[in-house]
Amino acid sequence: MTPLARIIAARIRLSGPMRLDDYMRLCLLHPEHGYYATRDPFGAGGDFTTAPEISQMFGEMVGLALAQAWLDQGSPAPFTLAELGPGRGTLMADILRAIRGVPGMREAAQVVLVEASPHLRRVQRETLGDISHLDDAAQLPQAPLFLVANEFFDALPIRQFRMGGQGWAERVVTLGPEEGLALGLAAVDGQGAAPERILRPAPQGVIREFCPAAGPIVSALAGRIAAHGGCALVIDYGGWDGQGDTFQALRRHRPEDPLAHPGEADLTAHVDFAPLAWAARAAGARVSCMATQGEWLLRLGIAQRAQRLAAAGDGGAMAALHRLTAPGEMGHLFKVLAFWARHAPVPAGFEPLDDDADDA
């Protein structure tokens, strides 16, 4: 049993079963034993590899997409260039390199990283130098905002509900045999326990998830963009209005039981992009159709960039292109959503939602 597992078991013995979102929050962000508080999880020596760690091309495409949106909106200066959950700072470093070729953009950019982990903040400063950090997206300045969130929303704590013979019940973490952690079910606590779309009728055995924090974060971002201009890119694995059990753990690049090693494995769930889109639209932003990462990167010209790098002697460029865009790799599992200021053109690589385009 890990040190954090013992803490969680003691809390359950004292207060009863623990909601899944509370369990995830402790596992990821406990100040002493939390996953992100104690380690660098990225790359071959960690537990998983993100797109920016695979190739500089990913960050270059993101940077150029944000640069085009900035130009399309009249090159506002100053503006906030932000990233949610920036990992080692690799993506932002590649974005900053890409935008140096855009006259005036780097000088106008005020770089802000939203990061909860003190350990990762130190790593990001080593990568990027003296940059500003915030604890929460709601603290971002009221100013033009150009932002990326790559593999951020998948790490936000979720709740799960299962339809049984007596109706909906919430999945919780409880104590199983020999005091080990186990999943159980608890009665749904009133009508306000989850959004109506989650607790709508369903066949027995169906599991639905929702992320309580995701909507408010998107609302805060889209509200700033609607008021001051800008564009946000959300890149993550997931789908549109999906259902099912996607709660998962990754440790040493291998899947494992999410209850097996609390604090020592990355815990995530697939992102449901539909409520993110509706939250952005309700806050006054325009919203894109969801694109796969592969098709979006190819529309931006990543294949041509890979060919140029390969011709210049980069032996890994074409393999990286395949990993980032191929359907059997990251190309289809990962999706991209954009929301932006209503007066502005559609960002590069996207199409607007049909009903959004009608009232633009």
Side-chain angles (χ1 to χ4, degrees):
M1 199 177 245
T2 68
L4 186 56
R6 288 191 286 272
I7 291 171
I8 291 170
R11 289 196 185 185
I12 292 171
R13 281 192 292 269
L14 181 66
S15 304
M18 180 180 291
R19 277 181 10 191
L20 209 56
D21 58 335
D22 293 330
Y23 173 76
M24 285 186 69
R25 195 172 295 108
L26 279 172
C27 288
L28 296 176
L29 296 175
H30 185 280
E32 185 178 357
H33 302 297
Y35 181 75
Y36 286 114
T38 58
R39 70 198 65 222
D40 181 351
F42 304 98
D47 294 308
F48 57 88
T49 301
T50 61
E53 306 291 336
I54 292 171
S55 171
Q56 69 186 58
M57 296 186 294
F58 180 82
E60 290 171 350
M61 296 299 108
V62 171
L64 293 174
L66 290 176
Q68 186 61 58
W70 181 73
L71 291 169
D72 287 343
Q73 296 187 36
S75 307
F79 73 95
T80 303
L81 177 61
E83 183 179 357
L84 307 186
R88 289 174 170 166
T90 305
L91 175 56
M92 182 55 74
D94 290 339
I95 289 171
L96 291 173
R97 187 179 63 256
I99 69 172
R100 285 197 182 98
V102 182
M105 187 174 185
R106 179 63 187 92
E107 295 75 15
Q110 299 179 343
V111 180
V112 179
L113 305 182
V114 177
E115 177 59 71
S117 166
H119 170 73
L120 289 177
R121 284 188 178 196
R122 290 192 292 272
V123 174
Q124 290 153 17
R125 287 194 182 98
E126 290 172 4
T127 302
L128 296 166
D130 187 19
I131 39 86
S132 298
H133 279 107
L134 295 175
D135 296 317
D136 193 288
Q139 299 171 336
L140 284 165
Q142 293 288 348
L145 173 63
F146 293 80
L147 173 142
V148 62
N150 180 62
E151 293 200 53
F152 169 79
F153 284 93
D154 66 82
L156 295 180
I158 61 160
R159 296 174 68 182
Q160 281 189 341
F161 296 84
R162 184 181 187 278
M163 174 60 84
Q166 304 301 314
W168 288 104
E170 182 162 10
R171 297 185 90 185
V172 294
V173 179
T174 186
L175 297 180
E178 301 179 3
E179 293 287 279
L181 300 180
L183 287 175
L185 294 171
V188 172
D189 184 18
Q191 288 296 108
E196 186 176 334
R197 65 181 179 83
I198 297 295
L199 301 183
R200 68 185 186 270
Q204 190 167 332
V206 165
I207 293 174
R208 290 190 179 135
E209 301 172 338
F210 91 101
C211 178
I217 290 172
V218 169
S219 293
L221 301 176
R224 281 160 176 74
I225 287 171
H228 306 288
C231 176
L233 303 175
V234 177
I235 308 165
D236 227 311
Y237 50 86
W240 189 269
D241 204 19
Q243 64 182 20
D245 179 8
T246 72
F247 181 44
Q248 59 193 297
L250 201 63
R251 184 168 177 256
R252 298 172 185 166
H253 295 269
R254 295 178 180 271
E256 71 166 28
D257 181 348
L259 305 183
H261 296 94
E264 295 180 1
D266 183 39
L267 300 183
T268 68
H270 284 209
V271 175
D272 184 354
F273 282 86
L276 304 188
W278 310 143
R281 195 156 186 252
R286 291 186 70 192
V287 183
S288 73
C289 293
M290 185 183 71
T292 68
Q293 176 177 291
E295 66 186 354
W296 182 67
L297 290 173
L298 290 169
R299 288 172 188 166
L300 294 177
I302 193 172
Q304 292 82 355
R305 175 61 172 152
Q307 290 163 1
R308 288 196 295 272
L309 287 173
D314 185 340
M318 299 311 293
L321 173 68
H322 177 79
R323 190 167 176 190
L324 291 170
T325 62
E329 297 283 344
M330 298 176 75
H332 276 190
L333 176 62
F334 282 76
K335 311 298 192 305
V336 193
L337 186 78
F339 50 95
W340 66 97
R342 283 202 162 271
H343 65 272
V346 179
F350 290 103
E351 297 176 355
L353 282 173
D354 291 341
D355 55 350
D356 188 68
D358 291 341
D359 62 1

